[in-house]
């Protein structure tokens, strides 16, 4: 348990979703990372895995929910959720609409 840094560095992702962050988005991003770091060893646990962290960060920054509706998100759940948001493709880009709704633009 705990928040690990660069544990999967160099690992190819099974699915990706990109977004160009603004300065205010970067501030939100850093704040949520700080929140998880303050949890120490309780940051990631069996019932609160790294995929929950990733979905939480993404939702906080973009407002788009990539999490499942289960108690926690497994890495496999997150991959499937990303692919669904990407219109069935493994790689895509998130672009918010003016109304606050998100759109999925597969790459």
């Amino acid at each position: 348990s705990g928040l690990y840094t660069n544990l999967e560095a160099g690992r190819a992702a099974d699915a990706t979703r990109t977004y160009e962050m603004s300065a205010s988005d970067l501030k939100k991003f850093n704040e949520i990372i700080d929140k998880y770091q303050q949890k120490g060893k309780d940051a990631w646990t069996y019932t609160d895995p790294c995929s929950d962290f990733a979905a939480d960060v993404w939702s906080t920054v973009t407002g788009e929910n990539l999490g499942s509706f289960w108690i926690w998100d497994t890495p496999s759940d997150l991959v499937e959720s990303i692919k669904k948001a990407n219109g069935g493709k493994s790689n895509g880009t998130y672009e918010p609409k003016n109304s606050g709704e998100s759109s999925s633009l597969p790459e």
Side-chain angles (χ1 to χ4, degrees):
S1 64
L3 182 64
Y4 296 100
T5 303
N6 296 322
L7 186 63
E8 295 186 358
R11 180 187 176 275
D14 294 329
T16 64
R17 190 145 174 81
T18 60
Y19 171 68
E20 188 172 332
M21 291 192 294
S22 67
S24 64
D25 293 333
L26 182 58
K27 184 176 187 267
K28 290 182 213 174
F29 178 83
N30 287 324
E31 286 171 353
I32 196 144
I33 289 174
D34 288 343
K35 178 182 120 178
Y36 273 84
Q37 286 177 326
Q38 290 171 13
K39 290 182 178 184
K41 67 181 178 96
D42 295 325
W44 294 352
T45 62
Y46 180 73
T47 58
D48 202 7
C50 61
S51 44
D52 265 350
F53 165 77
D56 193 12
V57 170
W58 186 264
S59 176
T60 299
V61 173
T62 67
E64 181 183 44
N65 183 6
L66 291 180
S68 68
F69 296 101
W70 298 101
I71 296 171
W72 64 83
D73 296 297
T74 68
S76 296
D77 292 334
L78 186 56
V79 166
E80 292 309 311
S81 183
I82 291 170
K83 286 180 179 179
K84 182 177 178 183
N86 289 340
K89 299 191 182 287
S90 293
N91 304 304
T93 301
Y94 168 82
E95 292 192 17
K97 293 182 180 178
N98 291 335
S99 66
E101 294 178 28
S102 65
S103 63
S104 301
L105 302 173
E107 294 179 332

